[in-house]
Amino acid sequence: MTDTHIVTIARHIIDEERRHPEARGTFSDILTDIALAAKVISRQVNMAGLVDILGGAGRRNVQGEAVQKLDEFAQEVIYRAMDHTGYLCCMVSEELEDFIPIPDKFPAGEYVLVFDPLDGSSNIDVNVSIGTIFSVYKKITDQERGSLRDCLQPGRDQLAAGYVVYGSSTMMVYTSGSGVHGFTLDPSIGEFILSHPNIRIPAARLRPYSVNEGYALRWDPGVRKFVQHLKSGLESGEAFSSRYIGSLVADFHRTLLRGGIFLYPADANNPSGKLRLLYEASPLAMIAEAAGGRASDGRRDIVDIQPTELHQRTPLFIGSTDLVDLAESHIASAGDSDVALADDQPK
Ligand code: AHG
Ligand code: MN
Ligand code: MN
């Protein structure tokens, strides 16, 4: 008998609301609207080789990076899915320098949406998994159409966070603080169906570490010692495998499901690292913590960082708690005698 018990995102959120009466319908609608945008982006990603959507858009974004056509497309799709609903007061996108107030012609609401419309752009043209990252905050000022202050909130104040990974299948993963839930898009019915309820980062032994080792010579000594320690197999002698896709969403999704650690450290050329706090590190940090893991900038929890700029960058160490803890202890003890490192047993 075909399983007729299919749980869509909308149904799951309604079930969640029953468990958490404080969650208002509005909030559920925001997630449902994001899911719609994800379906439209997924369709375009899956046809990227066929339609004129590959390659550069001929301009650079606020980050100074060459904008890919799919970046622009994803930006527009999310903006148009969300600008008229009356739920948001403003938005923040990786692709636009300033925050985006909801236009006067539409009603404004109580929530702020921050997002990276397309993550892993450098992989678009070579058909490697890419993604979208988002999170939702409550407005904290009385500005009807939001203000910078409403956008610069620490990750701990996120109401929800999620990502979409456009890979061998399109999956949407989100948390609103009680559990992390994964939905797989069934293109035949155009619905995201609950496929990974209550994701927990496994305590598996053989867990990949994920970092771009091309920058190793530019890392701080503590980071170099940490990665060297992983390569030595820690004390169990079981060497870690290395996996690096170069799309944060794909590398994080594997870390969430398999365990291990993803790190994008600061280096001599990027003293604050490359990844952006507001719409890359903080949303994934909320998800990692809700799945029993951790996310740190090497010294403190990502979600405790008070943003001062929309596009500020941060080093990121995210995944299994014991490995993030170990990275922090290597960084803290760097420059101390090596004896200290020998005492540094995984917990
Ligand atoms: P984006 O495409 O949104 O700019 O993000 C790209 C990021 C992230 O997806 C990935 O982890 C990182 O860039 C890869 O950087 P390197 O190529 O330096 O390894
Ligand atoms: Mn990104
Ligand atoms: Mn991006």
Side-chain angles (χ1 to χ4, degrees):
M1 165 81 161
T2 308
D3 181 5
T4 55
H5 178 65
I6 58 171
V7 178
T8 62
I9 289 184
R11 163 74 189 269
H12 187 260
I13 293 167
I14 289 166
D15 292 348
E16 282 285 290
E17 276 181 20
R18 285 206 191 99
R19 280 193 284 272
H20 304 277
E22 74 280 3
R24 290 177 43 195
T26 310
F27 177 52
S28 316
D29 293 347
I30 291 175
L31 285 175
T32 306
D33 291 338
I34 292 171
L36 171 64
K39 292 177 203 173
V40 174
I41 296 168
S42 175
R43 185 195 58 190
Q44 212 63 8
V45 166
N46 292 334
M47 293 194 300
L50 303 175
V51 299
D52 178 26
I53 200 83
L54 292 180
R59 67 178 182 82
R60 291 190 171 275
N61 64 13
V62 62
Q63 326 281 340
E65 294 155 346
V67 174
Q68 299 297 314
K69 288 178 185 169
L70 215 45
D71 283 308
E72 258 178 356
F73 176 82
Q75 158 65 30
E76 274 306 295
V77 166
I78 295 172
Y79 178 75
R80 297 217 178 288
M82 308 304 294
D83 66 350
H84 58 283
T85 59
Y87 304 135
L88 305 181
C89 59
C90 62
M91 301 183 228
V92 174
S93 164
E94 176 197 12
E95 298 304 324
L96 295 173
E97 183 152 8
D98 299 320
F99 76 95
I100 316 156
I102 292 302
D104 294 339
K105 63 184 174 185
F106 295 132
E110 293 300 302
Y111 296 95
V112 179
L113 177 72
V114 301
F115 60 98
D116 175 358
L118 204 84
D119 172 70
S121 306
S122 61
N123 281 323
I124 294 172
D125 288 358
V126 292
N127 203 12
V128 168
S129 299
I130 50 184
T132 295
I133 311 171
F134 64 89
S135 79
V136 180
Y137 290 89
K138 192 87 168 39
K139 183 171 78 160
I140 54 173
T141 71
D142 57 6
Q143 296 296 313
E144 186 197 13
R145 293 177 191 276
S147 66
L148 195 55
R149 193 155 154 259
D150 293 304
C151 304
L152 295 177
Q153 298 187 50
R156 198 152 312 277
D157 293 342
Q158 292 173 114
L159 292 176
Y163 62 86
V164 183
V165 52
Y166 311 102
S168 47
S169 65
T170 293
M171 268 193 73
M172 181 162 161
V173 175
Y174 91 92
T175 184
S176 55
S178 57
V180 177
H181 310 288
F183 299 78
T184 300
L185 181 62
D186 177 343
S188 68
I189 57 172
E191 281 288 1
F192 280 100
I193 308 297
L194 183 63
S195 54
H196 298 67
N198 294 308
I199 299 173
R200 303 290 293 171
I201 295 187
R205 277 175 312 119
L206 296 178
R207 302 164 290 175
Y209 73 95
S210 183
V211 65
N212 185 335
E213 301 212 43
Y215 307 140
L217 297 182
R218 306 200 302 246
W219 293 339
D220 294 344
V223 175
R224 278 210 296 276
K225 283 182 180 161
F226 169 62
V227 173
Q228 201 47 45
H229 195 181
L230 294 180
K231 289 182 172 179
S232 70
L234 302 182
E235 278 47 46
S236 63
E238 291 164 270
F240 283 61
S241 62
S242 169
R243 289 279 185 280
Y244 192 73
I245 299 168
S247 288
L248 172 61
V249 169
D251 281 316
F252 176 72
H253 186 65
R254 181 203 55 246
T255 304
L256 184 70
L257 297 186
R258 292 263 173 83
I261 186 167
F262 169 88
L263 51 152
Y264 203 112
D267 67 45
N269 294 4
N270 298 293
S272 303
K274 172 183 183 180
L275 300 177
R276 279 57 56 123
L277 173 63
L278 211 54
Y279 41 77
E280 289 176 318
S282 286
L284 300 187
M286 179 178 187
I287 294 170
E289 290 193 353
R294 273 200 68 201
S296 166
D297 69 352
R299 300 188 188 290
R300 59 189 162 158
D301 287 341
I302 288 288
V303 293
D304 286 336
I305 301 175
Q306 171 59 53
T308 52
E309 290 163 31
L310 292 180
H311 302 288
Q312 77 185 63
R313 300 174 190 268
T314 176
L316 179 63
F317 299 77
I318 189 168
S320 301
T321 296
D322 62 318
L323 296 178
V324 176
D325 290 349
L326 188 60
E328 285 185 335
S329 59
H330 275 281
I331 291 166
S333 57
D336 295 352
S337 72
D338 283 340
V339 172
L341 287 185
D343 299 339
D344 186 14
Q345 303 297 325
K347 292 175 180 59

